């Protein structure tokens, strides 16, 4: 299975300024139906990367491949399997939503009758069924966002690139948009690249995340694995005599550091479940007041990647346990 | 099953070819163009002159219907290169007006609404986009240029006989070639104006202004510098000369055919450069 996106020392220059400075990475797996979050501060090169994948910019070095096709040499093949939702308003104001989607479908290669059918289908899917004969110029901002999403998926692309899809949406519409994105990957097997400033959105729907800064990839991780590894670091607070807890932890193969007043930082073995701690506390007649995962949020990962945070709390916990003779 | 009950399903069937995708845009544009009342009225008005010419052709071949007129009339109403050049000249005015009305609505709305990224993120290149837009104008302008011209020529050939056709086939070929060249120039001017300014009305005025102002500038250059090469700046004049050459009519005074052809070629290149610079999916600020 080829990667969804494969970048090999990709360099892009706009004017005399180098925007993408030799990016190399592999993202997603074709046909897996995963979402990739593309993050970075303003000017990091996210939009340039997306536009390069679409063939809008010519690389000055390296290469970019989408679903096995070279973006520069095979732009038609690449664009045939991509659906793109731009960040800014992009539509034809004096066209009805149905006509607009039908046109977009036909340009993407759908036969005329199928394009009309899909236009209706996708408009109902995004919640614009009742407004489908209205001119796009009369739509509200939220409706325009949905119309943009509809045009991106009308031809059933394998990869959908969404640039700030929740911009300007109220909380209910935002939830609906994220639900649609989740459906796209889970039910329809589409791969999604989600470019957003809202880390919560990315965290909610993405499986992988790439953080860019100054035209370079500064962090790439699998959020699922990240979440799994976070589950190993636990903060425990108990009431009662916890003097034998250290021994108990060692017996079950975990390691912990007492912080005083019943507070513990514990590192579990990878295969261990939190339930063992409950069992141990019950055996030692301890009352559990608090048991939390020491979880690195995407925001913390992001802030560290762009240099605003020295280390994430999870890393700090790991270091602390290690310094106290941990695992 | 009703669409609203069925839910969204990814399309995974076969895709159409490049030509079918290309033709989707003109089809939608023609549909919208013909919904504009002014365009339809102008289209109807553009048909008046060809109808009059048809009457003229009929009369020229049926002089016996006008009794009492001598050989002078026969000479006056003969169907020759001059007749077709006059026909082309009048129709050329209508094409400019039609292009000014229909052309700006083709590209300007796409630019104003930032729709180009949507087109270019699909399997469509900038060349495809220009071709598709040009087809809209070419189709519309063909209805008032070479199509009625061919009808006139065919009518004359059928009435005057095989002998006239074999002796004058060059008129038909020249008419089609001349009009196609004119359609190319007018369409490019309309598209470049539409790409240059985002407001439809101003773009329309620019199309009209392009031909009228350049004609004025050409005359001014000729008068001020006492030369005749100023006419090269006037695309209508250049085209008139080329038509006369193609149809074998008497050539007007001034620069030669190659000079005029070069001026038209330079204009076409210039307009293509404007389109190349303006029609980009994203604007790069250097």
């Amino acid at each position: 299975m080829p990667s969804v996106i494969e970048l090999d020392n990709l360099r892009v220059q706009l004017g005399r300024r180098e925007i993408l400075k030799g990016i190399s990475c592999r993202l997603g797996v074709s046909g897996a139906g995963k979402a990739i979050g593309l993050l970075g501060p303003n000017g990091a090169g996210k939009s340039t990367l997306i536009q390069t994948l679409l063939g809008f910019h010519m690389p000055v070095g390296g290469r970019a491949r989408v679903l096995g096709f070279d973006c520069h040499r095979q732009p038609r093949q690449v664009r045939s399997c991509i659906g793109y939702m731009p960040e800014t308003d992009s539509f034809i104001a004096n066209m009805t939503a149905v006509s607009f989607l039908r046109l977009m479908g036909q340009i993407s290669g759908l036969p005329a009758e199928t394009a009309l059918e899909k236009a209706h289908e996708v408009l109902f899917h995004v919640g614009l069924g009742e407004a489908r004969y209205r001119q796009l110029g009369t739509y509200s901002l939220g409706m325009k966002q949905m119309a943009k999403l509809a045009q991106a998926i009308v031809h059933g692309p394998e990869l959908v690139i969404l640039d700030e899809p929740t911009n300007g949406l109220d909380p209910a519409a935002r939830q609906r948009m994220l639900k649609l994105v989740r459906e796209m990957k889970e039910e329809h097997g589409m791969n999604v690249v989600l470019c957003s400033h809202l880390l919560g959105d990315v965290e909610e729907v993405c499986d992988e995340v790439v953080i860019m800064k100054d035209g370079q990839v500064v962090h790439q991780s699998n959020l699922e694995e990240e979440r799994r590894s976070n589950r190993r670091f636990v903060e425990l607070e108990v009431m009662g005599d916890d003097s034998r807890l250290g021994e108990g932890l060692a017996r079950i193969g975990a390691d912990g550091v007492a912080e005083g007043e019943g507070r513990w930082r514990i590192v579990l073995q990878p295969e261990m479940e939190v339930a063992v701690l409950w069992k141990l506390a019950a055996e030692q007649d301890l009352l559990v007041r608090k048991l939390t995962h020491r979880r690195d949020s995407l925001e913390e990962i992001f802030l560290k990647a762009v240099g605003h945070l020295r280390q994430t709390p999870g890393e700090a916990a790991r270091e602390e346990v290690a310094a106290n003779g941990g695992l | 099953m009703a669409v609203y009950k069925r839910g969204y399903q990814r399309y995974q069937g076969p895709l159409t070819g490049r030509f079918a995708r290309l033709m989707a845009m003109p089809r939608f544009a023609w549909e919208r163009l013909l919904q504009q009342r002014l365009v339809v009225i102008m289209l109807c008005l553009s048909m008046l002159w060809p109808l009059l010419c048809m009457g003229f052709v009929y009369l020229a071949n049926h002089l016996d219907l006008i009794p009492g007129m001598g050989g002078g009339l026969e000479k006056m109403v003969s169907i020759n290169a001059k007749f077709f050049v006059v026909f082309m000249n009048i129709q050329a005015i209508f094409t400019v007006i039609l292009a000014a009305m229909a052309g700006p609505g083709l590209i300007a709305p796409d630019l104003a609404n930032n729709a180009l990224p949507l087109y270019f993120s699909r399997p469509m290149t900038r060349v495809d986009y220009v071709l598709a837009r040009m087809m809209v104008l070419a189709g519309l302008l063909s209805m008032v240029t070479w199509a009625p011209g061919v009808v006139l020529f065919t009518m004359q050939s059928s009435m005057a006989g095989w002998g006239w056709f074999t002796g004058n086939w060059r008129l038909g070929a020249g008419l089609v070639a001349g009009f196609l060249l004119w359609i190319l120039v007018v369409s490019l001017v309309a598209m470049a104006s539409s790409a240059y300014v985002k407001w439809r009305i101003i773009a329309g005025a620019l199309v009209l202004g392009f031909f009228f102002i350049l004609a004025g500038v050409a005359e001014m250059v000729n008068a001020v510098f006492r030369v005749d090469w100023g006419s090269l700046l006037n695309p209508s004049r250049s085209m008139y000369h080329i038509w006369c050459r193609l149809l074998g009519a008497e050539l007007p005074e001034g620069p030669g055919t190659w000079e005029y052809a070069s001026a038209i070629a330079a204009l076409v290149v210039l307009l293509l450069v404007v389109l190349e610079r303006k029609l980009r999916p994203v604007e790069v600020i250097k």
Side-chain angles (χ1 to χ4, degrees):
Chain A
M1 284 283 193
S3 302
V4 177
I5 296 171
E6 197 181 323
L7 308 176
D8 183 14
N9 195 27
L10 181 70
R11 285 170 51 235
V12 174
Q13 206 167 320
L14 300 182
R16 287 180 189 168
R17 198 172 152 219
E18 195 169 26
I19 307 295
L20 300 183
K21 300 166 184 169
I23 297 179
S24 299
C25 61
R26 284 163 176 256
L27 302 169
V29 179
S30 171
K34 298 280 180 191
I36 302 156
L38 189 55
L39 297 171
N42 292 331
K46 304 183 296 287
S47 297
T48 307
L49 175 58
I50 288 177
Q51 288 160 4
T52 307
L53 295 178
L54 289 165
F56 295 175
H57 301 306
M58 198 185 290
V60 290
R63 68 175 186 179
R65 295 172 80 87
V66 171
L67 297 163
F69 298 113
D70 191 293
C71 295
H72 177 47
R73 294 196 180 91
Q74 299 163 295
R76 275 181 203 281
Q77 287 92 329
V78 169
R79 292 173 188 172
S80 292
C81 49
I82 287 185
Y84 172 52
M85 175 184 175
E87 181 186 358
T88 50
D89 268 358
S90 298
F91 50 84
I92 302 160
N94 52 358
M95 248 183 159
T96 63
V98 167
S99 305
F100 174 62
L101 258 72
R102 187 183 168 194
L103 172 63
M104 290 296 140
Q106 281 186 251
I107 295 175
S108 302
L110 300 189
E113 279 181 22
T114 313
L116 181 60
E117 200 177 307
K118 287 286 161 197
H120 284 278
E121 199 176 288
V122 77
L123 281 167
F124 273 105
H125 180 64
V126 299
L128 293 175
E130 297 302 319
R132 64 193 193 280
Y133 290 113
R134 262 173 63 183
Q135 294 207 330
L136 287 162
T138 66
Y139 275 16
S140 67
L141 186 58
M143 291 165 89
K144 282 177 188 168
Q145 288 291 87
M146 289 300 179
K148 276 198 293 179
L149 176 68
Q151 65 77 31
I153 59 172
V154 67
H155 53 296
E158 199 173 339
L159 171 64
V160 185
I161 299 177
L162 308 174
D163 201 351
E164 304 283 355
T166 52
N167 255 6
L169 297 183
D170 61 44
R174 177 178 159 264
Q175 279 307 323
R176 182 165 175 74
M177 175 67 84
L178 295 179
K179 183 172 164 269
L180 287 169
V181 175
R182 267 195 302 272
E183 277 177 21
M184 273 156 51
K185 61 172 189 149
E186 286 164 10
E187 290 176 23
H188 305 294
M190 295 174 179
N191 289 292
V192 180
V193 170
L194 178 70
C195 179
S196 177
H197 283 110
L198 301 173
L199 304 178
D201 291 356
V202 174
E203 200 164 19
E204 209 168 307
V205 296
C206 290
D207 306 288
E208 281 180 57
V209 66
V210 176
I211 301 175
M212 291 181 68
K213 187 190 173 190
D214 295 332
Q216 286 171 325
V217 172
V218 288
H219 182 87
Q220 182 188 352
S221 63
N222 187 316
L223 282 180
E224 196 47 48
E225 278 173 17
E226 199 89 27
R227 284 178 199 124
R228 242 194 328 263
S229 75
N230 280 330
R231 278 201 286 274
R232 294 176 54 210
F233 299 91
V234 176
E235 281 184 338
L236 178 70
E237 199 175 322
V238 293
M239 276 176 75
D241 180 14
D242 62 349
S243 55
R244 291 182 301 119
L245 189 60
E247 284 170 33
L249 286 170
R251 187 162 39 82
I252 61 170
D255 210 340
V257 179
E259 292 186 319
E261 295 176 2
R263 283 202 292 271
W264 287 77
R265 285 194 175 200
I266 298 165
V267 182
L268 300 174
Q269 294 284 11
E271 71 282 1
M272 244 178 223
E273 291 298 322
V274 181
V276 296
L277 293 180
W278 289 99
K279 199 175 164 190
L280 185 63
E283 280 171 11
Q284 298 194 0
D285 208 17
L286 295 171
L287 281 175
V288 176
R289 291 183 64 192
K290 188 173 143 193
L291 196 155
T292 54
H293 291 296
R294 195 70 188 94
R295 184 171 179 271
D296 289 343
S297 68
L298 184 57
E299 187 176 353
E300 287 157 350
I301 295 171
F302 176 79
L303 288 173
K304 192 203 163 208
V306 298
H308 293 307
L309 205 64
R310 200 174 62 80
Q311 59 183 177
T312 62
E315 285 169 342
R318 267 168 249 171
E319 274 181 19
E320 200 176 325
V321 171
N324 287 288
L327 282 172
Chain B
M1 190 192 285
V3 172
Y4 68 93
K5 282 183 187 164
R6 191 166 52 202
Y8 172 70
Q9 296 298 322
R10 258 179 85 184
Y11 176 74
Q12 286 173 324
L15 297 175
T16 54
R18 185 184 176 190
F19 184 71
R21 286 199 299 262
L22 210 64
M23 285 308 290
M25 282 170 73
R27 273 203 304 274
F28 274 79
W30 282 323
E31 198 181 309
R32 291 170 66 200
L33 265 181
L34 295 177
Q35 285 169 357
Q36 293 177 30
R37 206 172 295 165
L38 275 177
V39 172
V40 176
I41 291 172
M42 185 46 66
L43 205 55
C44 294
L45 286 177
S46 312
M47 298 298 178
L48 289 180
W49 178 240
L51 284 174
L52 282 174
C53 288
M54 278 179 204
F56 190 79
V57 169
Y58 184 80
L59 269 185
N61 288 284
H62 295 83
L63 285 175
D64 48 329
L65 291 177
I66 314 168
M69 300 298 280
L73 181 69
E74 194 174 336
K75 197 177 174 187
M76 200 175 77
V77 296
S78 62
I79 306 299
N80 52 19
K82 196 176 173 187
F83 166 80
F84 281 103
V85 168
V86 172
F87 167 75
M88 291 172 83
N89 258 330
I90 305 288
Q91 286 308 95
I93 297 169
F94 285 110
T95 57
V96 171
I97 298 171
L98 268 174
M101 292 165 83
L106 296 177
I107 296 178
D110 287 346
L111 287 173
N113 294 303
N114 194 29
L116 291 185
L118 298 184
Y119 290 115
F120 297 142
S121 64
R122 294 183 149 74
M124 169 171 265
T125 61
R126 288 194 290 172
V127 174
D128 292 343
Y129 179 83
V130 170
L131 279 177
R133 289 306 188 201
M134 193 180 274
M135 265 190 251
V136 179
L137 279 176
L140 184 76
L141 300 184
S142 295
M143 287 166 70
V144 299
T145 50
W146 62 267
V150 167
V151 171
L152 272 182
F153 181 77
T154 312
M155 191 177 161
Q156 168 64 17
S157 301
S158 64
M159 286 180 180
W162 182 249
W164 187 90
F165 176 78
T166 50
N168 295 281
W169 64 269
R170 185 183 171 184
L171 294 180
L175 180 140
V176 173
F179 265 143
L180 287 178
L181 191 57
W182 181 240
I183 287 173
L184 173 75
V185 172
V186 173
S187 303
L188 284 176
V189 169
M191 288 200 299
S193 307
S194 182
Y196 209 75
V197 283
K198 291 178 182 177
W199 298 281
R200 288 176 64 170
I201 295 174
I202 297 176
L206 196 62
V207 176
L208 291 176
F210 182 85
F211 288 98
F212 290 115
I213 292 171
L214 277 185
V217 169
E219 287 309 311
M220 211 163 65
V221 169
N222 282 344
V224 171
F225 297 106
R226 296 184 182 173
V227 290
D228 58 7
W229 53 260
S231 307
L232 295 173
L233 297 173
N234 183 352
S236 314
R237 176 93 176 161
S238 304
M239 201 52 79
Y240 177 73
H241 187 102
I242 292 169
W243 287 345
C244 289
R245 169 67 72 187
L246 285 171
L247 271 70
E250 191 185 339
L251 292 174
E253 285 180 8
T257 309
W258 281 111
E259 281 91 335
Y260 279 123
S262 306
I264 291 290
L267 176 66
V268 167
V269 170
L270 188 73
L271 294 167
L272 287 174
V273 169
V274 171
L275 286 173
E276 198 276 330
R277 293 184 72 89
K278 286 286 168 185
L279 297 180
R280 295 188 176 197
V282 283
E283 201 170 337
V284 177
I285 297 163
K286 293 182 180 171

